[in-house]
Amino acid sequence: MTERIVLAYSGGLDTSVAIGWIGEATGAEVIAVAVDVGQGGESLETIRQRALGCGAVEAYVADASDEFANEYAMPTLKANALYQGHYPLVSAISRPVIVKHLVKAAREFGATTVAHGCTGKGNDQVRFEVGIQTLGPDLKCIAPVRDLALTRDKAIAFAEEKGLPIETTKKNPYSIDQNVWGRAVETGYLEDIWNAPTKDIYDYTATPEFPPAPDEVTISFEAGVPVAIDGVRVTPLQAIKELNRRAGAQGVGRIDVVEDRLVGIKSREIYEAPGAMALITAHKHLEDITIEREQARFKATVGQRWAELVYDGQWFSPLKRSLDAFIEDTQKYVSGDIRMVLHGGQAIVNGRRSETSLYDFDLATYDTGDTFDQSMAKGFIELWGMSAKVASGRDIRVQGQ
Ligand code: ARG
């Protein structure tokens, strides 16, 4: 029986050419797998037809936008995950859901190998292949750009020679990856890290120099998940989309960073994640009133480690799973409303309320009638400083100063 390979298919030039390229190089039949993670653009049916037109023997298409929002974006929100303090893991969280569908398709169509369109220099090859190793340990991986010398020039020549139903002239100087959680743009002019991004790079956000009137929004959460916007019930996917629209119109969520890739390269990336950044800001502020201090401090460390694991392609790892359990436990009381103003590229919280809040007005108030007994502070400070005081006494004794 002819060997079968499932290919992660975007509908773009490189993966369209990869169908025939892999076929010629390996003799295998190629099954195209297209997964909708809320990236917008062409319909799944258009993509399916193109895959078949480019020589795929079968095309598997899946609308995974709700699955992605519920099972990938929401854990990222609960973790307040920002890699290196900036990047909300847009591409990093889409790879595992695509991997799930690749493995599913491989089983359905009896494939032995999984192919993807990544280069040998980035993080995504790692995320795909580590994911495949974990979910389908018997499956092999192949990357035509990396392993079968499929360069851009060769891809264009191949598409023209074979008359593939795909545009080859449209020259986009950037490499773009997008989904409902955000958009990543790199390469070309941006590789000079002193160059400021030009306006044409952006798509999810408007340029905030001439902002529209401020937009005040109230986001309601239940156990760490957004459930309503301005009182209207929403699913996680709807919440992200609505905030992409409203925060995006105000230029919220633009990020320009040089980040540390897993393969040891520092690389410049421009992100736009209006919905994600507005949600993370709101969620963090709700945690500030609903999570106990020590748990909150520790959670910040856990969230950072979680972001690193996910960035590094360890979505399906045991440590990531254990951290998920911790994070989930912290979200029990993260319910309530956050009011924020979206304006001039910023999302600024200006009100919060929660039935499960730890904010105690009577303890906090400086007005008369507060219930905090200030006389307790004196003894507390004495004991709190005791250990450092004893150590400093020793220093003076030993060093004689
Ligand atoms: N640097 C990001 C990451 O590793 C995004 C990579 C997405 N690719 C792109 N073509 N911009 O997660």
Side-chain angles (χ1 to χ4, degrees):
M1 211 179 91
T2 319
E3 206 184 331
R4 298 189 125 192
I5 296 180
V6 288
L7 166 70
Y9 182 64
S10 70
L13 173 68
D14 298 281
T15 51
S16 292
V17 167
I19 295 171
W21 194 269
I22 293 170
E24 287 191 5
T26 64
E29 290 179 343
V30 176
I31 292 130
V33 175
V35 184
D36 184 352
V37 282
Q39 63 268 45
E42 297 177 315
S43 75
L44 283 177
E45 186 49 32
T46 306
I47 294 176
R48 211 178 81 81
Q49 289 305 334
R50 183 170 315 128
L52 297 171
C54 289
V57 294
E58 307 265 10
Y60 166 110
V61 295
D63 177 359
S65 48
D66 277 300
E67 180 186 2
F68 176 65
N70 295 338
E71 295 170 35
Y72 298 82
M74 290 304 107
T76 307
L77 175 61
K78 289 175 183 173
N80 300 317
L82 294 173
Y83 178 67
Q84 291 186 313
H86 299 293
Y87 166 45
L89 299 172
V90 172
S91 304
I93 59 170
S94 78
R95 303 315 174 205
V97 69
I98 296 170
V99 163
K100 267 200 177 167
H101 285 275
L102 285 166
V103 172
K104 196 165 162 240
R107 301 294 179 233
E108 233 167 75
F109 295 103
T112 54
T113 302
V114 174
H116 60 77
C118 304
T119 72
K121 289 177 76 170
N123 299 310
D124 287 326
Q125 54 172 343
V126 182
R127 297 170 184 148
F128 274 121
E129 295 183 28
V130 170
I132 299 291
Q133 281 171 18
T134 321
L135 299 189
D138 53 309
L139 297 168
K140 289 175 288 199
C141 291
I142 187 169
V145 175
R146 183 192 64 193
D147 308 331
L148 303 174
L150 177 57
T151 60
R152 203 80 261 256
D153 297 343
K154 285 189 198 158
I156 292 171
F158 187 94
E160 279 168 0
E161 184 196 320
K162 308 275 171 183
L164 297 185
I166 173 109
E167 185 102 51
T168 55
T169 46
K170 203 178 74 194
K171 194 162 161 36
N172 191 330
Y174 306 112
S175 164
I176 300 169
D177 182 51
Q178 65 188 53
N179 59 56
V180 74
W181 196 239
R183 187 165 174 270
V185 186
E186 65 174 342
T187 71
Y189 165 83
L190 298 169
E191 283 171 357
D192 179 338
I193 60 177
W194 183 246
N195 281 344
T198 46
K199 281 184 195 165
D200 61 301
I201 283 172
Y202 297 108
D203 184 39
Y204 285 15
T205 55
T207 298
E209 272 107 88
F210 301 101
D215 184 6
E216 195 171 75
V217 60
T218 300
I219 308 172
S220 308
F221 290 85
E222 276 169 22
V225 170
V227 293
I229 291 181
D230 291 331
V232 179
R233 295 293 291 190
V234 285
T235 63
L237 180 65
Q238 289 166 336
I240 303 166
K241 280 188 172 169
E242 173 74 356
L243 288 164
N244 272 343
R245 191 178 66 73
R246 287 172 66 174
Q250 301 281 345
V252 171
R254 287 186 174 181
I255 303 154
D256 177 342
V257 284
V258 174
E259 70 191 33
D260 283 304
R261 281 192 197 159
L262 179 55
V263 295
I265 300 170
K266 284 192 188 287
S267 70
R268 205 265 188 98
E269 194 100 38
I270 307 297
Y271 299 105
E272 304 180 87
M277 294 309 284
L279 281 167
I280 290 174
T281 304
H283 176 260
K284 173 73 179 67
H285 279 256
L286 186 57
E287 286 192 341
D288 290 344
I289 62 164
T290 53
I291 298 190
E292 182 271 333
R293 183 187 63 197
E294 295 309 312
Q295 200 181 23
R297 287 179 176 177
F298 192 70
K299 181 177 180 286
T301 312
V302 170
Q304 200 184 322
R305 189 75 189 94
W306 190 96
E308 287 162 0
L309 284 170
V310 171
Y311 185 90
D312 290 346
Q314 298 288 334
W315 181 273
F316 299 107
S317 72
L319 177 56
K320 148 78 171 46
R321 202 159 56 223
S322 301
L323 299 189
D324 275 332
F326 171 82
I327 292 168
E328 195 55 45
D329 184 64
T330 64
Q331 298 300 292
K332 195 161 148 196
Y333 296 119
V334 184
S335 303
D337 302 331
I338 291 291
R339 193 180 57 224
M340 70 196 321
V341 174
L342 310 168
H343 190 59
Q346 290 190 285
I348 296 181
V349 170
N350 69 3
R352 64 286 278 161
R353 64 182 171 204
S354 166
E355 301 278 316
T356 44
S357 166
L358 297 169
Y359 178 80
D360 185 330
F361 181 89
D362 294 334
L363 281 177
T365 185
Y366 282 102
D367 291 347
T368 43
D370 73 303
T371 57
F372 187 84
D373 177 359
Q374 297 199 23
S375 69
M376 295 189 304
K378 213 170 148 50
F380 165 75
I381 297 165
E382 196 72 31
L383 296 184
W384 183 245
M386 182 72 79
S387 158
K389 187 173 161 187
V390 170
S392 120
R394 186 266 319 270
D395 293 348
I396 291 165
R397 208 173 61 239
V398 174
Q399 293 159 20
Q401 34 166 313

